[in-house]
């Protein structure tokens, strides 16, 4: 079966869309907008005797320090001892990941052609910018894409050799190295990711001419958002196709976890990196950048005094620079404490040092927030109290970065009552009650998470209303943006605990796939070459137990990112509102439920979120069906120790094909929907953007935490209860496969989709307001029809057709050999 159709299948609607865009530009000249933003002279204000421009130049040195820190860890991990059998497996995983990523990069460049055409038409034709300026903007978008893809590649590379090092370290029979290596890899990714993002933004801020910087920031943000969206969606689909295909074999053939004879296991390991390493790395890079661009745009649009603009811009970037140092310092201190406590221990709670790291970084960040603000902005616009009020607003976000993980653990940790309830329900009720109890956990988590966000944002609103209104319009919007900024204040650590999961997951798989226990005279070899006698039983136990901790902390990072997307998108939406209301002086009444288009936009946004959920899950379902079909036809359980490399690569190919096709349908559906609704009515579009943010928030939290509960319920049965191969285990495996697309496909991809829609909407709505009403409505109809083409394809072109068999399975013509 040729899963990816000829380009002609999607070229026609794409060309039709570009033709409609050309017609869209037949109108007049746009009003002032974000493309007209001009940066003030950063050197015009002094901070402790140093002008702002010079101060930020010093920040480039801190970014370099962060990069050096991350690269030194990279080299240290690469030099750690590892047995050849484990290294060969991790390198095979890397090679399959590399092939997948190269394919995805090509797809992203195709999408960039589409987005780039819109930017050329907008900035070059409508805005009448000179060719040189348009080229700079396009290059900025390419830099954004390169940043997202580059950090994704770095994260994948370090995780795919840290996994074998962690697996090998477990053989010594001590738990601490099994914890320390994945976290070290995560800190390397976090430091490199945040330092790279900050460095690129500082380069634009300091070295791009002020009248170019505004549109360059927009181009940069759109580029990184495009890269993150594609990698998140495709990665989420890929990993769950592979995961479900591999997991279901445990039930069908009653084989162990990560059985080397299962050709789906290598694809599962590749997926762990594609979905849980590549996707989050690109997502974290984009989230950090887009939040910064949103705040920059707000300051330039809402603050009229150039001196205050400079003070706020320099203050925000200095805060970001200081937080890199805070995260690295907190990590080093925490590791010293953890090593003293657990270095020689035979048992450890893997979650404890991770939790301490998050709280330690949060406390240090809060203290530095107040200290730096007191130094930087002791007198802001003539008000000597705003430094601590702004610090308090950021603190709401910083504390959220620690409070939210604690809330999530209540619903996803192996120690939580909700997860144990899933196991209890499964024992008597099987898969049915397992699924129901997991859905319950997800629903309850959305309630409590919603209240936490409301309280923290409410506190920020309270401080914003106490004086900020004298300096800017819509001060509460700025406050919400600062909360999102605070969420990301300890970015390297947030990324580190998220990246911890894929390494622990892969480490367990590498152990099994290496067949280390079957290597001839392996004990003598390890004693001679590495100086220790292996303890295989303890190693397997530690790896499984640590995987549960990895599952928990993967779950804790997801709501932080989705919360940032929603809170930060509020600031981006404000930029559109400023354009539509002429700086809040006209048409403000249309931002009301009494304006029917605004209300209808609110309703429409929810529809898009539910389509997106279904489309991404459908891609997983169909891909998993094909993967299971192939694996069942080709698995060999007698006379072999390992599945053939050819069969394993075929499963990877199936996963890649469906991930690409699903991502392409979804992305173009979102792209043309954005254009359609922007053309339909501007205030309808505002309601639409608000709606996808709010619906997306609760849908993502619900799905992520339900999936986390199912995942760790299975882990609880495997590690604590030791009931693998039982009906209880089978029930929890079914629940886990239901939760797979919940937590790692649909929920996590909403973050970049929300931000891409809002960012691209900045251009789309300004294109739309320049033409007459009749033409606008006609184009809205054209774009909506084009969007429905891809919405239709996302199900009817992806569905599992009755009686159809894939060419891959059919060609094999063999049945799996099952033991008697």
């Amino acid at each position: 079966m040729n899963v990816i159709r000829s380009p002609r299948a999607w070229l026609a609607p794409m060309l039709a869309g570009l033709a409609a865009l050309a017609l869209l530009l037949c109108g007049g000249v746009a009003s002032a907008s974000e493309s007209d933003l001009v940066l003030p002279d950063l050197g015009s204000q002094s901070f402790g005797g140093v002008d702002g421009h010079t101060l930020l130049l010093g920040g480039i040195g801190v970014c370099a320090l962060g990069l050096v820190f991350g690269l030194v860890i990279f080299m240290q991990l690469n030099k750690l001892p590892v047995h050849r059998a484990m290294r060969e497996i991790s390198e095979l995983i890397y090679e399959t990941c590399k092939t997948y990523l190269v394919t995805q990069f090509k797809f992203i460049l195709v999408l960039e052609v589409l987005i780039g055409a819109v930017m050329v038409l907008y900035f070059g034709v409508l805005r009448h910018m000179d060719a040189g300026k348009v080229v700079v903007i396009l290059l900025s978008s390419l830099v954004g894409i390169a940043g997202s893809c580059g950090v994704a590649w770095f994260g994948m590379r370090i995780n795919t050799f840290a996994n074998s090092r962690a697996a090998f370290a477990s053989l010594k029979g001590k738990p601490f190295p099994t914890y320390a290596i994945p976290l070290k890899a995560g800190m390397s990714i976090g430091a490199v990711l945040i330092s790279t993002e900050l460095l690129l933004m500082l380069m634009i801020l300091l070295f791009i001419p002020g009248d170019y910087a505004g549109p360059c920031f927009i181009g940069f943000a759109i580029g990184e958002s495009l890269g993150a969206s594609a990698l998140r969606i495709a990665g989420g689909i890929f990993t769950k196709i592979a995961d479900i295909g591999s997991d279901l074999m445990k039930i069908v053939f009653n084989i162990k976890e990560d059985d080397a004879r299962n050709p789906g296991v290598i694809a599962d390991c590749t997926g762990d990196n594609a979905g849980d390493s590549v996707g989050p790395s690109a997502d974290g890079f984009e989230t950090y950048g887009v939040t910064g661009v949103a705040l920059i745009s707000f300051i330039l649009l809402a603050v009229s005094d150039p001196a205050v603009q400079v003070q706020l811009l320099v203050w925000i970037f200095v805060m970001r620079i200081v937080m890199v140092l805070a995260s690295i310092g907190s990590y080093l201190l925490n590791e010293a404490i953890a090593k003293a406590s657990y270095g020689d221990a035979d048992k450890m709670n893997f979650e404890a040092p991770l939790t301490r790291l998050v709280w330690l970084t949060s406390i240090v960040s809060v203290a530095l927030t107040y200290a730096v603000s007191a130094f930087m902005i002791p007198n802001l616009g003539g008000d000597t109290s705003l430094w601590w009020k702004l610090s308090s607003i950021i603190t709401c976000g910083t504390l959220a970065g620690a409070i939210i993980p604690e809330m999530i653990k209540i619903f996803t940790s192996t120690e939580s009552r909700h997860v144990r309830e899933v196991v209890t329900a499964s024992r008597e009720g099987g898969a049915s009650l397992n699924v129901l109890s997991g859905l319950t956990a997800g629903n309850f988590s959305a309630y409590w998470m919603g209240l936490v966000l409301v309280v923290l944002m409410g506190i920020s609103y309270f401080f914003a209303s106490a004086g900020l209104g004298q300096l800017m319009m819509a001060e509460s919007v700025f406050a919400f943006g600062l909360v999102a900024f605070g969420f990301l204040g300890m970015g390297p650590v947030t990324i580190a605990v998220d990246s911890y999961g894929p390494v622990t997951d892969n480490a367990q798989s590498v152990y099994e796939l290496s067949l280390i226990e079957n290597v001839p005279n392996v004990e003598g070899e390890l004693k001679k070459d590495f100086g220790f006698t292996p303890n295989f039983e303890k190693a397997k136990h530690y790896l499984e137990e640590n995987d549960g901790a990895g599952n928990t902390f993967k779950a804790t990072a997801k709501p932080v990112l989705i919360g940032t997307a929603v809170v930060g998108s509020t600031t981006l939406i404000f930029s559109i509102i400023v354009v539509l209301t002429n700086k809040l002086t006209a048409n403000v009444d249309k931002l009301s439920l009494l304006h029917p288009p605004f209300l209808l936009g609110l309703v429409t946004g929810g529809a898009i979120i539910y389509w997106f959920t279904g489309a991404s899950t459908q891609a997983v379902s169909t891909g998993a069906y094909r993967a299971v079909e192939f694996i069942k036809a080709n698995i060999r359980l007698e006379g072999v120790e390992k599945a053939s490399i050819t069969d394993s690569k075929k499963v990877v190919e199936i996963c890649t094909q469906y991930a690409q096709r699903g991502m392409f349908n979804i992305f173009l559906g979102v792209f043309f929907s954005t254009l359609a609704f922007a053309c339909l009515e501007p205030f309808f579009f505002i309601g639409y953007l608000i709606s996808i943010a709010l619906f997306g928030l609760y849908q993502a939290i619900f799905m992520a935490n339900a999936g986390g509960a199912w995942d760790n319920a299975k882990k609880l049965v495997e590690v604590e209860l030791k009931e693998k191969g039982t009906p209880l285990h089978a029930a929890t495996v079914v629940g886990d496969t239901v939760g797979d697309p919940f937590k790692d496909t649909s929920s996590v991809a909403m973050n970049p989709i929300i931000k891409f829609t809002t960012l691209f909407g900045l251009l789309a709505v300004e294109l739309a307001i320049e033409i007459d009403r009749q033409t606008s409505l006609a184009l809205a109809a054209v774009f909506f029809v084009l969007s429905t083409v891809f919405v239709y394809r996302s199900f009817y072109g992806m569905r599992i057709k009755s009686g159809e068999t894939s060419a891959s399975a059919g060609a094999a013509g063999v049945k799996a050999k099952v033991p008697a």
Side-chain angles (χ1 to χ4, degrees), residues 93-102 156 160 269-270 273-274:
I93 294 168
Y94 169 65
E95 289 300 320
T96 55
C97 285
K98 186 167 67 173
T99 302
Y100 162 79
L101 267 183
V102 169
M156 177 270 291
T160 51
C269 293
T270 303
N273 289 284

Side-chain angles (χ1 to χ4, degrees), residues 704-724:
N705 292 333
W710 282 314
D711 196 359
N712 268 346
K714 183 193 73 169
K715 189 60 60 178
L716 193 62
V717 170
E718 292 173 345
V719 177
E720 183 175 314
L721 301 181
K722 306 290 186 185
E723 293 192 40
K724 289 184 180 181

Side-chain angles (χ1 to χ4, degrees), residues 97-112:
C97 285
K98 186 167 67 173
T99 302
Y100 162 79
L101 267 183
V102 169
T103 306
Q104 292 309 111
F105 293 164
K106 293 176 182 177
F107 260 67
I108 291 170
L109 289 178
V110 171
L111 297 175
E112 169 65 2

Side-chain angles (χ1 to χ4, degrees), residues 170-216:
S170 70
L171 293 174
K172 295 181 181 180
K174 297 290 183 181
F176 182 75
T178 312
Y179 145 85
I181 292 173
L183 184 58
K184 206 168 186 179
M187 274 304 298
S188 177
I189 297 169
V192 167
L193 184 154
I194 300 300
S195 297
T196 301
E197 173 68 54
L198 188 53
L199 179 62
L200 292 174
M201 295 194 72
L202 284 173
M203 298 289 278
I204 296 175
L205 194 68
L206 296 174
F207 302 118
I208 297 293
D211 58 334
Y212 278 52
C216 282

Side-chain angles (χ1 to χ4, degrees), residues 270-285:
T270 303
D272 287 337
N273 289 284
D276 293 336
S277 178
V278 168
S281 296
D283 191 2
F285 183 85

Side-chain angles (χ1 to χ4, degrees), residues 23 38 44 96 280 406 408 418 436 444 461 503 577 631 667 687:
L23 290 173
V38 178
S44 63
T96 55
E406 292 301 314
I408 299 309
H418 283 276
L436 289 174
F444 272 100
Y461 168 71
V503 179
I577 293 174
I631 294 169
F667 188 87

Side-chain angles (χ1 to χ4, degrees), residues 144 155 248 364 371 384 649:
L248 287 179
V364 171
T384 57
K649 287 184 175 180

